[in-house]
Amino acid sequence: GKVSACTAHAALLSMFDLSNFCEDFAKAKHVAIITGAGVSAESGVPTFRGQGGYWRKWQAQDLATPEAFSRDPSLVWEFYHYRREVMRSKMPNPAHLAIAKCESRLSKQGRSVVIITQNIDELHHRAGSKHVYEIHGSLFKTRCMSCGEVKANHKSPICPALEGKGEPDPSAKDARIPVQHLPRCDGSGCNGLLRPHVVWFGETLDSDILTAVEQELEKCDLCLVVGTSSVVYPAAMFAPQVAGRGVPVAEFNMECTPATMRFKYHFEGPCGVTLPPALERHESEAI
């Protein structure tokens, strides 16, 4: 039938593409890897967007806003507490591990790998990646609303009042935690309200991180876009910008996207399957 012929053609194409990609990869000195929700989804991390993406009766874009936090900090903290607790049972998948392994192997050869991620779950760190820019922040960092201090925080629960709260069931009652019992700053004499150090809808990305990322994209000679549709800003802007300089871009995700035509390579399927063989040691590598 037509479908199987098409699939067979795609499979053939991707084998041919893979050997070409591996040659580009073997020559690259500075590899930039842009990752998005698709990489985390394969570790079972919920995204709270699209079909079935609800926590209680909300999607992420209802709660991940400065307005929602000022209106109901207890509810927003329940949501983020739940997400932090869920992460305790999730592990890096083969895509995260392949990226970390590749970074450490290439650094011994004097080559660099940088990860630019939209994910806030720290799975790249847990897989062993060192050179990571978290452009949307992290579930495991807090920022004080009063003094502005940003701090790592892996406590479970993040504060006693949130113990056992955050149940995702639509029938669960809101905890209505008094604001003084929500996570507070432990800086000397501060005690300000803490918020998750994540970029919410309607907020801008950290300009220092953006500048550093721009510099990495300027010098990269190979770019991988992994598990992100290139529709979501900023991957939407980053990868085409790199392709525009004539640098090879390889897209690894579940389907074609509006940007696919502008990239040299497209590998369809789960990243945990497609990425590891692409990042394997090439026979031309000295180490």
Side-chain angles (χ1 to χ4, degrees):
K2 194 161 171 233
V3 175
S4 57
C6 177
T7 315
H9 175 68
L12 214 93
L13 201 68
S14 69
M15 274 162 59
F16 171 71
D17 265 4
L18 189 59
S19 77
N20 281 349
F21 169 82
C22 289
E23 284 177 24
D24 278 339
F25 173 61
K27 294 191 297 245
K29 296 273 185 280
H30 300 288
V31 182
I33 305 180
I34 300 167
T35 74
V39 181
S40 295
E42 287 178 40
S43 287
V45 178
T47 62
F48 307 104
R49 299 180 67 175
Q51 248 359 83
Y54 287 88
W55 176 83
R56 293 186 188 164
K57 55 178 189 284
W58 289 281
Q59 288 192 305
Q61 53 268 46
D62 303 322
L63 298 175
T65 71
E67 295 74 26
F69 190 71
S70 61
R71 196 168 52 239
D72 196 345
S74 170
L75 183 67
V76 173
W77 262 121
E78 273 198 271
F79 176 55
Y80 280 92
H81 165 68
Y82 170 73
R83 295 177 72 176
R84 286 164 60 97
E85 296 303 309
V86 161
M87 284 313 302
R88 301 175 73 76
S89 66
K90 305 301 180 199
M91 300 312 273
N93 65 55
H96 295 109
L97 297 168
I99 289 170
K101 213 166 105 184
C102 166
E103 182 188 356
S104 106
R105 185 178 84 243
L106 265 53
S107 74
K108 296 188 181 86
Q109 304 169 15
R111 301 158 72 194
S112 73
V113 172
V114 62
I115 295 107
I116 299 159
T117 188
Q118 295 164 262
N119 301 333
I120 59 173
D121 49 46
E122 294 194 356
L123 286 173
H124 284 298
H125 290 287
R126 283 172 51 194
S129 286
K130 303 276 186 283
H131 197 183
V132 183
Y133 289 104
E134 295 171 313
I135 57 175
H136 289 170
S138 164
L139 277 174
F140 300 99
K141 289 191 176 118
T142 57
R143 183 161 87 243
C144 176
M145 301 286 285
S146 304
C147 75
E149 186 187 26
V150 173
K151 223 173 173 182
N153 184 316
H154 291 85
K155 275 191 255 173
S156 169
I158 187 167
C159 67
L162 279 165
E163 173 96 59
K165 302 290 189 277
E167 208 31 65
D169 194 300
S171 63
K173 290 267 172 285
D174 295 350
R176 302 256 159 260
I177 297 164
V179 71
Q180 64 272 24
H181 294 151
L182 289 174
R184 313 295 300 195
C185 182
D186 56 12
S188 59
C190 181
N191 198 41
L193 175 63
L194 298 178
R195 60 165 275 178
H197 183 56
V198 296
V199 177
W200 281 333
F201 293 94
E203 293 183 325
T204 54
L205 306 191
D206 179 308
S207 59
D208 292 346
I209 293 182
L210 264 185
T211 303
V213 164
E214 289 288 342
Q215 286 167 350
E216 292 292 345
L217 294 173
E218 285 290 301
K219 73 173 191 194
C220 79
D221 50 9
L222 177 65
C223 176
L224 280 59
V225 179
V226 185
T228 175
S229 62
S230 297
V231 179
V232 182
Y233 173 86
M237 186 180 90
F238 290 162
Q241 176 187 322
V242 171
R245 286 201 289 120
V247 171
V249 175
E251 185 179 47
F252 295 80
N253 69 6
M254 292 303 282
E255 67 270 299
C256 282
T257 70
T260 299
M261 297 316 297
R262 299 155 79 175
F263 300 150
K264 186 169 176 186
Y265 302 107
H266 174 77
F267 300 100
E268 205 158 304
C271 318
V273 176
T274 56
L275 195 61
L279 296 182
E280 274 298 305
R281 185 176 164 274
H282 191 264
E283 62 266 25
S284 69
E285 291 180 35
I287 302 173

